[in-house]
Every structure is written in structure tokens, then in C-alpha cells.
Amino acid sequence: MSNSLKASDSGLAIVDKSRQRLGWTKTSTARWWQDAHTSRATLRRFWQGDRIQREIFIGICQAVGIVNWEAIAELSYADLESIADIPTLYRDWNEAPDLESFYGRNQELAQLEEWITSQNCKLITINGIAGIGKTALALALVDRIQSKFDCLIWKSLQTSPSLISLLNSLLNSFEQGVVQNIQQGTTQLIQQLQKHHCLLVLDGLDAIFSQAENLSYGQFIQQLSRERHQSCIIITSREQPKNIEINSKTFRCLNLKGLPKKAAVELLQSRGFTGKELGLSALIQLYRGNPLALKLVTPLIQSVFGGNIAAFLSQNTLIVGDRLRVILKQQFEQLSGLEQDILYWLAIWQEPVSFSRLQTHLLISVDPGIVLEGIVGLERRSLLEKWISDYEPSFTLQPLVMKIVTDELVEHTAQEIHQVVQSHDIRHFQILRTHWLLRPGTDDIAGDRILNQLGKKLWRFYGATLPEILNQILLLLKGQSPLAMGYIGSNLAILSGIDLV
């Protein structure tokens, strides 16, 4: 075989896709040629389609996670004969998405690789709020470690496939026949995971949580984590799967946070900002380094504010793109009534609140254990921020979640008022009965964010008749018990006193 190789046109396209996943440039990322033990000039020759030393050619491919370098090279007949007996990695990742860029996450990648290659974990979950980069991290990880496995399979769960459908799809990757029941399929899959050293990625498990398949999937994942096999299953999800026994030797969970400032700045630079704009750090902090949120807000800053981040921030608002809004709203709607109530209170307070303080504000006394379960459930879904103090932990909402919950609170309370106006029945009051909308400890009624947002929404619908309508509703409260009225009277009275003109 010749000691030099050149890339084919189709091979260059594959390499280009892999380097984009890593967020690398074609010739300006020093790590690329350093990892390949070569020079920038040689990397340029690779992209020009020139022949370069075989070992360096392979190193350039491996640096971006490509193990089957034969698919990249333009091989002669003699070359093909020489490599015919070299085993290749079996890959089925047609369902993996294309990502335009990847920034930072070196610490997370190193931790995941340690768990998989050194500690031989069988199950790893990557959890985090919508848009935080779970799928991108999984892709970067796969590109980095795929050479250590005989088999690579990536399955997307975004379409909420039934478990039997997923099992048959997985078994088809191993060229197994169709199965008719879940237990049979699970048994056959585990046999394949025992036979092969396989890296299996299940991307977007949270799409299943609102489906009837939720319980079946939970039992399936539990079984994969318990059975003996030589493979590793990676799951990405907005929330940690329930009822999985955490075994320090076989199961790990990575809770993914926002990008650190340096990586977030690199992302913004790729979107047209220089990295020296005023307010850059504040913008990153406002969105908690959420990659998708930053990508969605930058076009608006560019088009409306001419790229002036400080001007955007001076509006004292937070823009949530439609894509993120839909995901977060769906997640909110899947919560229990108590979990929604907790989020409403945290949105009203706008500051970290301790568990004991939260407990005292609930209109109806609830077993502290149940409230604590609600807090744990919200934490598991990455919807809370925890603040640790010398006394006890406090909880608040990320700005993105705060925005969505506030909008939901205003929308639902406005609907309650409409329903009571039409029916003259105060039983339609739910949130307005159980939540005091004025932020505790403040006398700035005119400046209260939620009350003003609600008042303006009602004014647009009722106009100048709003004060009269609110007074008529207040008359319906006469003779009602304190428990039946709750916070209704206080909320309506304060709404009727806001000057919205």
C-alpha cells in the first residue's frame, strides 16, 4: 500500500460535517493539527485534496472522531485489497441530528469519557433544561469515543415511538427479526448488548414522559441498567428518569448547566458579535448561558437594535423564541397541580425562597413531605435554581422559566376572571384564590410586574369598564367563607386600584 493518501470529494464532505459538530474551523483550529501531530500547512493540503502521509491522514480523521478513515480516502484497487481484512465500526446513527457548531464543554466531555471508558458505566443520563445543549454534547462525545466501541447506534425519541417499535428498530440494527412483545424484545436486545461492545444513544427521552408508554420505558431502562452486558447506554432528557436505582458503579447522571462565559462569547462571536460589546456578560447571565436561547435572541438584537446588546438589555425584557416557548410550555402543562402552584409562587416572589417560607404561604395546609416531593420533582426537571445559604436551601426560577411561568400565570388568571364575569360563579377562581399576586414585602403596586401585565391584558379586553366589572365581582364575594375567598378579594381590590390609562 502507498504510504500516502488523499481525500475523496465525498470523504471531505464527511470530515466537514464532523468538524462542524465540534465547532472547529477547517484550518484555524490549532487543536486539530496538534491532535493529528502535524502542521497547519499539512491540514490545508488535506483540504485541497493533496496526498499526505498515511499516518497523518488517519490522525486528521481520528481527531474529529472518524475511525473508518477508509471512507474518507480516495483508494486505489491495491489499497482496497490491503485493507479488506481490517474490521470496521458498525454505525447506525442516521437519526442523529446535524448541528452547526459546538462550544466549550471540555470538562463535561472529560467527565463522561471517564465514566464510560475507565469506570465502565452501563447507563448515563445527560439532563438539563430545554436548549441547554444535551444532544450537542452527546454528539461531541460520540465523535470523541466511538473508536472504543464495536457498534454505535443513535435513536431519536422525539416522535414518541412505542417501546415495541423502538425495540424492533434497535434489533433491526443488529439484523434481528421482528418481535411481538416487549419482554421478548428486551431479552434479545440485552443479548446483543452482551455480545457486542455497543454505544447506544437514546436522544430525547422526555418526549415519552407524557405518553402512556412512560411506565414501560421506565421498566425497560431499569432492566438495561441492571442486566450484565458490555455496552453503554446514553440517555438525553430534560428530566431524570424516575425509579432508576442509582448504582455508583453502573449508573451516572450529568446535570448540564449553561455555557461558561468564554464558550458563550465564542458562540456569540460566531453569530456576528465581536465579543467586546457592552452588556455581553449581562446577556450571557440573563440567559444563563443557554446556547439555544442565545442563538434565538441574537437575530432580534441584530435586526431591531443594530447589534447593540446594551440597548436590548435596557428594555428590561427577556425574549423567548417560539421553539423554546413551545417546549417549556409543554413541560409546564405536564406538571402536577402542586408543582404548578410552587412555580407560580416563585414567579410572584422573583427571588430565592426557602422551603419553610413556601410552606407557610400555601392557602391550604399540605403535608410538608408532599411539598418536598414537588420541589424534588421540579429539580429533577431542571426547572429550579437552588441557592445554598448558612441556614437552609432556597429556590428560585431561571429567567427563561420565570418568563414562561409568569406568562402562564397572567393568561390563566385572566381566563378565570372572564369565566366569572360570564357565569357569576366564583368557583372558577383557582389561582386568584390560592395566590396573592403582589410580591411580598413591596409597596410598589404600580411597578409590580405581574399585576401590571395582568391589568393591561384585562384593560385591552374590557377597556374603561374594567373597574366596574371588578367591583361587580367583589360583590359576589359577600357572605363567602374565608377559605372560599382566599386571596380573591385582595387580588381584585388591588387590580381595581392600578392606573392603567
Side-chain angles (χ1 to χ4, degrees):
M1 182 191 293
S2 170
N3 196 39
S4 64
L5 294 169
K6 63 179 290 187
S8 65
D9 290 341
S10 60
L12 288 175
I14 295 172
V15 176
D16 193 44
K17 186 175 181 180
S18 294
R19 68 96 186 166
Q20 287 179 17
R21 282 193 177 126
L22 294 172
W24 291 2
T25 62
K26 282 189 173 182
T27 59
S28 298
T29 302
R31 180 180 168 186
W32 196 348
W33 67 76
Q34 290 169 357
D35 285 358
H37 303 290
T38 186
S39 65
R40 184 176 185 177
T42 303
L43 184 58
R44 284 201 186 102
R45 291 176 53 217
F46 170 87
W47 281 110
Q48 292 167 2
D50 297 338
R51 297 189 76 88
I52 62 175
Q53 189 176 341
R54 180 174 176 271
E55 288 74 16
I56 293 176
F57 182 96
I58 295 173
I60 288 173
C61 294
Q62 290 179 340
V64 289
I66 297 174
V67 178
N68 56 332
W69 53 267
E70 302 91 338
I72 309 303
E74 190 174 276
L75 298 170
S76 66
Y77 180 75
D79 291 332
L80 291 172
E81 281 190 327
S82 300
I83 65 172
D85 296 328
I86 299 177
T88 57
L89 173 72
Y90 174 74
R91 300 192 300 176
D92 176 10
W93 63 334
N94 292 328
E95 296 183 22
D98 289 328
L99 295 176
E100 62 180 25
S101 57
F102 182 77
Y103 301 94
R105 304 301 193 195
N106 292 328
Q107 184 176 347
E108 291 89 342
L109 284 169
Q111 179 66 83
L112 290 167
E113 186 172 3
E114 165 73 14
W115 287 343
I116 294 171
T117 61
S118 299
Q119 300 182 21
N120 298 316
C121 288
K122 291 190 293 186
L123 177 65
I124 292 174
T125 63
I126 302 175
N127 306 322
I129 194 172
I132 207 66
K134 303 177 292 293
T135 298
L137 178 61
L139 277 168
L141 176 66
V142 168
D143 280 340
R144 183 164 169 162
I145 66 171
Q146 58 179 294
S147 62
K148 302 180 186 298
F149 291 85
D150 306 324
C151 173
L152 166 62
I153 301 176
W154 183 296
K155 293 297 177 183
S156 172
L157 305 182
Q158 297 299 328
T159 58
S160 305
S162 65
L163 181 53
I164 193 68
S165 174
L166 174 66
L167 284 167
N168 277 311
S169 177
L170 290 169
L171 291 172
N172 181 60
S173 298
F174 293 106
E175 299 182 351
Q176 300 294 299
V178 176
V179 295
Q180 301 300 323
N181 66 75
I182 291 173
Q183 189 53 52
Q184 178 191 4
T186 304
T187 300
Q188 288 191 23
L189 176 61
I190 290 172
Q191 289 172 352
Q192 295 302 316
L193 297 179
Q194 292 169 339
K195 181 179 179 182
H196 302 280
H197 186 39
C198 183
L199 181 61
L200 169 60
V201 181
L202 301 178
D203 183 31
L205 183 66
D206 44 84
I208 306 298
F209 290 150
S210 61
Q211 309 296 323
E213 292 282 331
N214 188 5
L215 180 60
S216 298
Y217 264 89
Q219 294 170 342
F220 165 67
I221 293 168
Q222 244 186 356
Q223 192 166 352
L224 291 182
S225 69
R226 289 174 176 173
E227 296 286 345
R228 287 184 175 273
H229 57 76
Q230 61 170 328
S231 299
C232 178
I233 298 93
I234 298 174
I235 294 173
T236 71
S237 176
R238 291 196 299 271
E239 57 184 272
Q240 184 178 327
K242 293 181 179 178
N243 305 321
I244 294 182
E245 296 178 4
I246 299 179
N247 184 320
S248 60
K249 294 182 179 180
T250 61
F251 171 67
R252 287 286 193 278
C253 175
L254 177 68
N255 291 308
L256 195 59
K257 306 300 182 182
L259 291 173
K261 181 181 175 181
K262 181 179 178 181
V265 168
E266 291 177 2
L267 184 154
L268 291 171
Q269 287 175 331
S270 74
R271 313 293 287 187
F273 296 95
T274 67
K276 298 180 181 179
E277 287 84 356
L278 292 174
L280 193 68
S281 296
L283 179 69
I284 294 170
Q285 175 60 20
L286 177 63
Y287 286 94
R288 296 298 194 267
N290 186 300
L292 180 58
L294 290 171
K295 290 177 182 178
L296 293 175
V297 75
T298 47
L300 180 139
I301 297 174
Q302 295 279 20
S303 61
V304 178
F305 297 94
N308 189 328
I309 294 175
F312 166 73
L313 293 173
S314 69
Q315 302 301 309
N316 195 29
T317 188
L318 187 142
I319 303 297
V320 182
D322 290 342
R323 181 177 166 191
L324 263 179
R325 180 180 294 278
V326 169
I327 294 172
L328 290 171
K329 186 172 180 179
Q330 287 175 345
Q331 191 173 12
F332 177 83
E333 290 171 350
Q334 293 167 9
L335 300 176
S336 69
L338 177 60
E339 288 169 335
Q340 290 183 357
D341 283 346
I342 292 171
L343 292 188
Y344 283 148
W345 274 119
L346 295 180
I348 292 168
W349 275 317
Q350 304 176 52
E351 62 183 18
V353 178
S354 67
F355 173 74
S356 58
R357 185 183 178 196
L358 173 65
Q359 181 76 11
T360 60
H361 278 75
L362 296 176
L363 181 66
I364 301 174
S365 180
V366 179
D367 183 341
I370 296 177
V371 179
L372 191 57
E373 286 179 7
I375 293 286
V376 170
L378 293 171
E379 274 198 288
R380 184 169 50 82
R381 295 177 175 90
S382 307
L383 294 175
L384 298 185
E385 286 188 348
K386 182 187 289 185
W387 293 62
I388 305 297
S389 67
D390 295 335
Y391 303 100
E392 61 177 315
S394 296
F395 305 92
T396 187
L397 305 180
Q398 288 193 31
L400 285 171
V401 180
M402 184 82 74
K403 172 66 174 172
I404 296 300
V405 174
T406 297
D407 290 348
E408 288 293 301
L409 175 60
V410 170
E411 180 64 29
H412 284 100
T413 51
Q415 289 177 5
E416 289 179 6
I417 291 173
H418 295 329
Q419 290 171 333
V420 173
V421 169
Q422 293 172 354
S423 66
H424 302 286
D425 186 347
I426 67 168
R427 286 178 297 181
H428 290 293
F429 282 130
Q430 298 294 326
I431 300 172
L432 284 169
R433 185 177 74 89
T434 57
H435 293 74
W436 171 225
L437 298 186
L438 181 63
R439 182 180 179 183
T442 180
D443 295 324
D444 183 18
I445 297 173
D448 188 87
R449 178 171 50 90
I450 291 178
L451 286 170
N452 266 277
Q453 190 174 333
L454 175 59
K456 289 176 180 177
K457 186 176 186 68
L458 294 170
W459 184 269
R460 286 193 295 270
F461 191 83
Y462 294 109
T465 64
L466 178 59
E468 180 182 348
I469 287 172
L470 294 176
N471 286 328
Q472 289 175 355
I473 297 176
L474 284 169
L475 293 175
L476 298 175
L477 301 179
K478 287 187 176 181
Q480 299 291 334
S481 69
L483 183 60
M485 287 192 297
Y487 294 109
I488 299 172
S490 301
N491 284 323
L492 295 180
I494 204 165
L495 273 172
S496 61
I498 297 178
D499 184 8
L500 299 170
V501 180

